[in-house]
Amino acid sequence: MAAAEARGAWCVPCLVSLDTLQEVCRKEKLTCKSIGITKRNLNNYEVEYLCDYKVVKDMEYYLVKWKGWPDSTNTWEPLQNLKCPLLLQQFSNDKHNYLSQVKKGKAITLDNNKALKPAIAEYIVKKAKQRIALQRWQDELNRRKNHTGMIFVENTVDLEGPPSDFYYINEYKPTPGISLVNEATFGCSCTDCFFEKCCPAEAGVLLAYNKNQQIKIPPGTPIYECNSRCQCGPDCPNRIVQKGTQYSLCIFRTSNGCGWGVKTLVKIKRMSFVMEYVGEVITSEEAERRGQLYDNKGITYLFDLDYESDEFTVDAARYGNVSHFVNHSCDPNLQVFNVFIDNLDTRLPRIALFSTRTINAGEELTFDYQMKGSGDISSDSIDYGPAKKRVRTVCKCGAVTCRGYLN
């Protein structure tokens, strides 16, 4: 690689992970600035995680995986030489978590040779690799997001890692043949949109927000925010959804069998904007086709854009934002609203989720998958909510008012 750099810049597509490339470089004693391996750090050793544990002559040893080095270079190091208190604590926590999952009669940590049981060591390595993978995914999500709130990822339940076929986006992704005109035809000239005749009035509806930036209109009423043609500035009280999520949220692994979920890390006041529901915009016909495939997998990511018509659907299965991971509840704390900003095509509203009550820090966020932008959840209608479903899916929300099924 160093020779290649000397001859001139060139590159080829590579599907190998950065870690693997670094390991190859160090093993072959090559340098490559593009992946962070230089002559200065070629022989550096940093503890990436701890793999195993044993006691020899009353001295404790840990098997160390060195960052950027292949497993073949792992070495046993005495505890007194390790200056990584966080990794030591994680090793201890993972060991205790494993033991808590096995029967008391089998909870023997060391074998006769005072070495850690192989099953325990294997579990600890898997948790360490999972932790690294989730941290990288968290970093990627925060690089891709365009809103203020931070995104965190947490899994203390199982060994599930990041989803393999999910791509983070910040706005609708139209499929071929669908055009999103993101330029309004008119805008306001208000000096104070809260008191003057503004965009909502032009659309024949009320201003959606009060002075505390809380929604004051009933479900089913559309939100018309100021757009790029308006003369008001970014502090306009009618620019809320377009500013994106303001709260730090955590994608976490649920313990009730619902897979991933989303919880807030800060208190959210009632009637506040929380997030948008985004994904691929597809036709109703395509949604019907994909819906049959999703039925067989038991997943629900289709959201019909049926504010005035039923021509388009949002599919957040592969492309989406944090809302992709929000679970259903028959007693939700989020409410759906249709929003129009730069695109005023009533067939293609943006979908915004607002809090229905005060949501405390650490509480899971949920919305009703059968809820339309109109606020209607009548069982008389079949094609509402995210996903037209043909196979009844059992609901696991646990609410007192649970209907028993997602559809």
Side-chain angles (χ1 to χ4, degrees):
M1 291 185 184
E5 288 178 350
R7 289 194 297 269
W10 61 275
C11 63
V12 294
C14 184
L15 299 178
V16 179
S17 69
L18 177 63
D19 278 352
T20 301
L21 289 174
Q22 290 179 337
E23 290 173 4
V24 170
C25 278
R26 287 200 164 100
K27 184 177 180 180
E28 301 298 329
K29 299 188 182 301
L30 300 172
T31 61
C32 180
K33 293 181 180 179
S34 299
I35 61 173
I37 303 298
T38 63
K39 290 182 179 179
R40 179 173 296 182
N41 66 18
L42 180 61
N43 295 312
N44 283 5
Y45 286 85
E46 177 187 348
V47 180
E48 185 170 27
Y49 56 86
L50 304 174
C51 309
D52 206 344
Y53 171 87
K54 66 181 180 180
V55 177
V56 179
K57 296 181 180 180
D58 296 327
M59 182 175 288
E60 296 178 280
Y61 288 84
Y62 286 87
L63 183 60
V64 175
K65 167 65 173 69
W66 300 104
K67 188 174 182 179
W69 291 86
D71 290 344
S72 59
T73 63
N74 292 359
T75 57
W76 286 97
E77 301 294 334
L79 173 59
Q80 63 191 37
N81 289 355
L82 298 177
K83 310 300 180 184
C84 50
L86 178 59
L87 294 180
L88 287 166
Q89 185 61 54
Q90 289 174 345
F91 185 96
S92 177
N93 292 343
D94 291 341
K95 180 180 69 175
H96 289 299
N97 288 339
Y98 176 85
L99 293 175
S100 67
Q101 297 172 18
V102 300
K103 296 180 180 180
K104 293 181 180 179
K106 298 182 180 180
I108 301 174
T109 306
L110 302 179
D111 60 20
N112 294 332
N113 297 320
K114 294 187 177 181
L116 205 60
K117 290 285 188 178
I120 303 177
E122 181 181 355
Y123 173 82
I124 289 173
V125 170
K126 287 181 179 179
K127 286 299 292 184
K129 290 182 177 179
Q130 177 202 51
R131 193 175 291 112
I132 292 170
L134 292 179
Q135 180 62 53
R136 287 177 180 158
W137 184 40
Q138 176 179 299
D139 294 341
E140 179 187 357
L141 295 176
N142 283 291
R143 282 194 302 269
R144 292 183 178 276
K145 72 174 179 65
N146 63 359
H147 53 76
T148 303
M150 295 295 293
I151 303 173
F152 295 87
V153 179
E154 172 188 292
N155 185 352
T156 60
V157 174
D158 55 30
L159 292 170
E160 187 73 16
S164 59
D165 194 26
F166 174 75
Y167 306 93
Y168 195 94
I169 58 176
N170 293 293
E171 56 188 18
Y172 284 163
K173 177 182 174 62
T175 50
I178 297 177
S179 177
L180 297 180
V181 181
N182 287 317
E183 184 176 354
T185 55
F186 66 89
C188 73
S189 56
C190 304
T191 55
D192 190 336
C193 294
F194 194 79
F195 293 104
E196 299 177 44
K197 186 178 181 181
C198 192
C199 299
E202 292 290 340
V205 297
L206 297 174
L207 180 71
Y209 312 112
N210 62 23
K211 290 184 178 181
N212 296 320
Q213 301 184 344
Q214 296 168 299
I215 196 163
K216 63 179 183 179
I217 58 175
T221 306
I223 298 171
Y224 280 82
E225 291 196 356
C226 290
N227 56 61
S228 57
R229 286 187 175 269
C230 295
Q231 297 181 20
C232 53
D235 296 328
C236 168
N238 194 35
R239 296 182 185 272
I240 302 298
V241 172
Q242 60 195 265
K243 291 182 178 179
T245 300
Q246 302 296 302
Y247 307 102
S248 290
L249 306 175
C250 179
I251 300 171
F252 75 105
R253 197 70 177 170
T254 63
S255 58
N256 61 354
C258 290
W260 296 102
V262 179
K263 61 184 177 182
T264 176
L265 299 180
V266 294
K267 183 178 180 180
I268 300 176
K269 294 182 179 179
R270 63 185 298 271
M271 313 308 285
S272 298
F273 169 66
V274 179
M275 70 180 76
E276 278 192 74
Y277 192 92
V278 303
E280 289 183 279
V281 179
I282 59 178
T283 63
S284 298
E285 292 76 18
E286 176 64 11
E288 186 73 17
R289 186 189 71 81
R290 293 189 186 188
Q292 293 177 358
L293 298 176
Y294 296 161
D295 285 348
N296 296 330
K297 297 180 181 179
I299 59 176
T300 308
Y301 293 112
L302 298 177
F303 200 115
D304 295 332
L305 298 179
D306 51 8
Y307 170 63
E308 278 197 353
S309 62
D310 193 12
E311 296 182 45
F312 303 107
T313 295
V314 176
D315 181 4
R318 294 186 66 209
Y319 297 90
N321 61 2
V322 177
S323 64
H324 167 99
F325 302 96
V326 175
N327 281 317
H328 161 85
S329 175
C330 297
D331 183 23
N333 49 26
L334 299 178
Q335 169 72 48
V336 175
F337 282 85
N338 292 295
V339 185
F340 299 95
I341 306 176
D342 281 314
N343 187 348
L344 302 178
D345 187 341
T346 55
R347 300 172 304 164
L348 293 163
R350 291 164 67 164
I351 302 301
L353 300 173
F354 285 77
S355 57
T356 59
R357 56 174 175 79
T358 299
I359 306 175
N360 295 317
E363 188 173 349
E364 182 175 3
L365 302 175
T366 59
F367 72 98
D368 192 331
Y369 284 6
Q370 292 188 5
M371 189 176 293
K372 303 171 71 175
S374 64
D376 178 24
I377 56 172
S378 169
S379 59
D380 295 333
S381 177
I382 294 297
D383 60 348
Y384 45 43
K388 299 176 181 177
K389 301 290 288 179
R390 298 151 199 81
V391 179
R392 302 207 75 183
T393 304
V394 176
C395 179
K396 301 178 182 179
C397 75
V400 176
T401 56
C402 180
R403 297 188 294 270
Y405 295 91
L406 296 185
N407 54 325

